[in-house]
Amino acid sequence: MTDSTKLHLGVILTGAGGPGHPKTWLDDDLPLDSSVDVDWYIEYARLAERAKFDLVFIVDSQFITPDSPPHYLNRLEPLTLLSALAVTTSHIGLVGTATTSYNDPYNLARRFASLDLISRGRAGWNVVTSGDAGTAGNYGRDEHYDYDTRYGRARESVEVIRGLWDSYEDDAFPRDRASGVFLDPSKQHRLDHRGEHFSVVGPLNIERSPQGQPVVFQAGDSEQGRDLGATIGEGIFTHASSLEQARAFRDDIRSRAVEKGRDPDSVKILPGISVYLGDTDADARRIEREYQAIEYDFDRAVKELGRPFGWHDFSQYDADAAFPDVRAVAALSFKTQADRITETALSEGLTLRQVVERVSAPRPGVFVGSSETVADLLVEWFEGGGTDGYNLHVDHPSQFRRFVAEVVPLLQERGVFRRDYESTTLRGNLGIPVPRNRYSGALVDA
Ligand SMILES: Cc1cc2nc3c(=O)[nH]c(=O)nc-3n(C[C@H](O)[C@H](O)[C@H](O)COP(=O)(O)O)c2cc1C
């Protein structure tokens, strides 16, 4: 069960380079086709599993332009990919992003339940509402849903999906050849849901896995996003640039969870971080600067700035004129991020160039140094109440290999990270209870 003295580790595999990493693919340690090569994912999932990581996380989106990050341009669909990882790994959790804006609850419930059975209880679902407004055009809509509808659909989807995941009680299938009884029909349950966004009769045509239900993760930072996370999230993905900021976010989510009658320890908060390691702190800073110098290109950064604003074209403006007030175009996109950028720009009177530099220009990161320095920082944030663990971006694979070889043993020596898996399920390793089947059963430990 929950051991809150141990931190949790996830690994984010974004092949040829995600947002902010337009040139990572130039690293010859990264196969050119890593985003679509299943063997590359298997290799790094297995490496993370040997290091006893809790989970592999596959992000997703479904709208691209020629300016999208290299990994986004050409990549594998998360659940298909995670099914391949399920049969080539044995303990590591398998978490994929799927949007409630462009999926029906029944097919999401079915796909994640299947992954959960294929992996024997290691599936996790990162519930998103799709930040890219352009996704609407790929699903027959003129425009993306407004925020209230996005989050309303997300909340109702999770409620319906959890209902569908309980379609069968754990002993619904006697499968008794002697008596010829395959199913006990009294243990199969229709949902008969009629809500604001969905009508779903059920039941779902698949049984529960060893962890009962896939683990539900959430990532969203608006008022609605945080409220949803505190209501339904068992794991929360976020970003944080200082211990104070991380602690404020975690405190906020935990107190919201308490208000909703939940145990805050069953909501695990995992900020995404980038780590640069060197032989000394100075060496690590040099490595960081070298990688960042390759990545940064002002014209490219102007284009990427458009993404939170629904891929608004900022190259049409004079870079040295005042930042344009384009909040309206972000209303259906990554609104929270876009509003934050615009409000800072307007209140400080910044030009477009200054905004681009603030958002994208190279600056020293937090988790950079020798292995000892980085281990100290990871422990400091964890013990300082800033986080329940970390989600590591694998930008440069050699850096991840070094993290596994040098930092993980230090975390183990310091007693804050496991030496072996506690369980074969994701819930068991995260220390999150198996949810009771609403028609039977009691809460049990994974
Ligand atoms: C850490 C983090 C990870 C996210 N991952 C994804 C993702 O993989 N795919 C996606 O479409 N949106 C992703 N989102 C976007 C959210 O689902 C949401 O659309 C966006 O954050 C805007 O909502 P907000 O204003 O509530 O933050 C992510 C957001 C955060 C904060």
Side-chain angles (χ1 to χ4, degrees):
M1 247 313 278
T2 312
D3 178 356
S4 54
T5 64
K6 296 280 192 296
L7 59 80
H8 301 283
L9 289 177
V11 62
I12 308 175
L13 298 177
T14 45
H21 292 271
K23 306 278 178 64
T24 307
W25 66 274
L26 296 173
D27 182 344
D28 57 17
D29 191 27
L30 198 58
L32 288 164
D33 61 352
S34 51
S35 292
V36 287
D37 179 3
V38 72
D39 289 334
W40 185 81
Y41 290 95
I42 293 171
E43 181 183 342
Y44 281 90
R46 283 179 165 165
L47 176 59
E49 184 169 75
R50 284 198 297 280
K52 316 300 178 199
F53 272 53
D54 292 77
L55 59 95
V56 171
F57 175 36
I58 306 295
V59 302
D60 195 39
S61 64
Q62 301 180 81
F63 173 73
I64 55 170
T65 79
D67 298 317
S68 295
H71 173 69
Y72 285 28
L73 291 172
N74 180 27
R75 62 171 158 187
L76 298 172
E77 187 282 317
L79 270 91
T80 315
L81 166 59
L82 290 169
S83 297
L85 299 185
V87 295
T88 47
T89 58
S90 58
H91 286 74
I92 196 162
L94 305 166
V95 184
T97 289
T99 178
T100 51
S101 295
Y102 301 101
N103 281 294
D104 271 5
Y106 194 92
N107 61 29
L108 282 175
R110 189 175 188 210
R111 282 153 55 204
F112 278 98
S114 296
L115 179 65
D116 213 19
L117 278 188
I118 294 170
S119 64
R120 305 190 195 284
R122 293 185 284 137
W125 169 29
N126 179 35
V127 179
V128 302
T129 62
S130 286
D132 282 310
T135 314
N138 292 330
Y139 288 90
R141 288 182 57 84
D142 292 334
E143 61 175 23
H144 196 12
Y145 298 102
D146 61 48
Y147 256 51
D148 285 343
T149 310
R150 267 162 73 171
Y151 278 108
R153 281 179 64 103
R155 188 178 302 259
E156 193 177 326
S157 290
V158 174
E159 185 190 321
V160 169
I161 287 166
R162 284 183 164 154
L164 290 170
W165 283 337
D166 277 350
S167 291
Y168 288 114
E169 294 179 55
D170 290 334
D171 51 356
F173 291 100
R175 296 180 177 111
D176 180 8
R177 286 199 173 114
S179 60
V181 177
F182 188 74
L183 167 72
D184 174 352
S186 71
K187 308 252 161 140
Q188 184 202 60
H189 303 279
R190 277 168 54 140
L191 189 63
D192 286 324
H193 172 89
R194 292 191 79 81
E196 188 184 344
H197 303 283
F198 306 105
S199 293
V200 181
V201 176
L204 189 67
N205 53 355
I206 186 165
E207 66 182 57
R208 281 160 54 106
S209 84
Q211 66 170 354
Q213 297 184 350
V215 180
V216 171
F217 292 80
Q218 199 269 340
D221 205 16
S222 60
E223 188 56 31
Q224 291 104 315
R226 289 180 182 218
D227 191 67
L228 178 69
T231 307
I232 55 99
E234 297 171 299
I236 305 284
F237 295 137
T238 182
H239 306 290
S241 51
S242 68
L243 172 53
E244 291 64 39
Q245 196 197 334
R247 200 188 282 131
F249 179 81
R250 182 166 177 267
D251 288 349
D252 180 50
I253 297 288
R254 286 171 66 89
S255 62
R256 286 174 193 250
V258 170
E259 276 166 29
K260 292 169 194 305
R262 301 182 63 206
D263 171 6
D265 287 338
S266 60
V267 185
K268 304 295 179 190
I269 293 164
L270 303 176
I273 61 166
S274 289
V275 173
Y276 293 101
L277 296 164
D279 294 338
T280 61
D281 291 354
D283 184 41
R285 287 291 171 198
R286 177 190 57 78
I287 291 169
E288 179 192 34
R289 276 195 305 276
E290 281 175 13
Y291 281 140
Q292 288 181 337
I294 293 169
E295 297 287 4
Y296 186 65
D297 163 341
F298 179 79
D299 293 338
R300 171 88 199 189
V302 169
K303 295 202 164 134
E304 273 213 17
L305 181 69
R307 185 177 183 223
F309 297 85
W311 284 105
H312 184 68
D313 178 14
F314 282 100
S315 67
Q316 65 184 291
Y317 304 111
D318 175 357
D320 296 307
F323 188 76
D325 186 350
V326 287
R327 270 174 291 195
V329 300
L332 300 180
S333 200
F334 289 86
K335 182 173 177 304
T336 311
Q337 190 187 350
D339 284 354
R340 210 172 280 151
I341 293 169
T342 314
E343 274 151 26
T344 309
L346 299 183
S347 67
E348 296 186 27
L350 303 178
T351 63
L352 172 61
R353 185 183 305 282
Q354 288 168 323
V355 169
V356 171
E357 284 168 358
R358 279 273 179 104
V359 172
S360 306
R363 79 174 66 82
V366 177
F367 298 99
V368 180
S370 67
S371 313
E372 288 75 15
T373 298
V374 168
D376 284 347
L377 285 163
L378 296 172
V379 173
E380 185 190 334
W381 278 43
F382 175 62
E383 293 184 341
T387 186
D388 297 298
Y390 303 91
N391 230 347
L392 255 81
H393 289 280
V394 175
D395 300 323
H396 297 280
S398 59
Q399 283 286 324
F400 182 62
R401 293 196 297 270
R402 196 162 177 176
F403 184 91
V404 163
E406 298 176 17
V407 179
V408 169
L410 290 175
L411 297 175
Q412 290 167 330
E413 275 167 30
R414 293 176 197 195
V416 296
F417 189 60
R418 68 170 68 82
R419 290 179 188 275
D420 205 355
Y421 286 109
E422 294 85 14
S423 169
T424 57
T425 70
L426 177 56
R427 277 179 193 282
N429 289 318
L430 287 175
I432 298 173
V434 172
R436 68 167 61 83
N437 183 304
R438 64 193 59 196
Y439 305 103
S440 65
L443 204 65
V444 289
D445 290 351

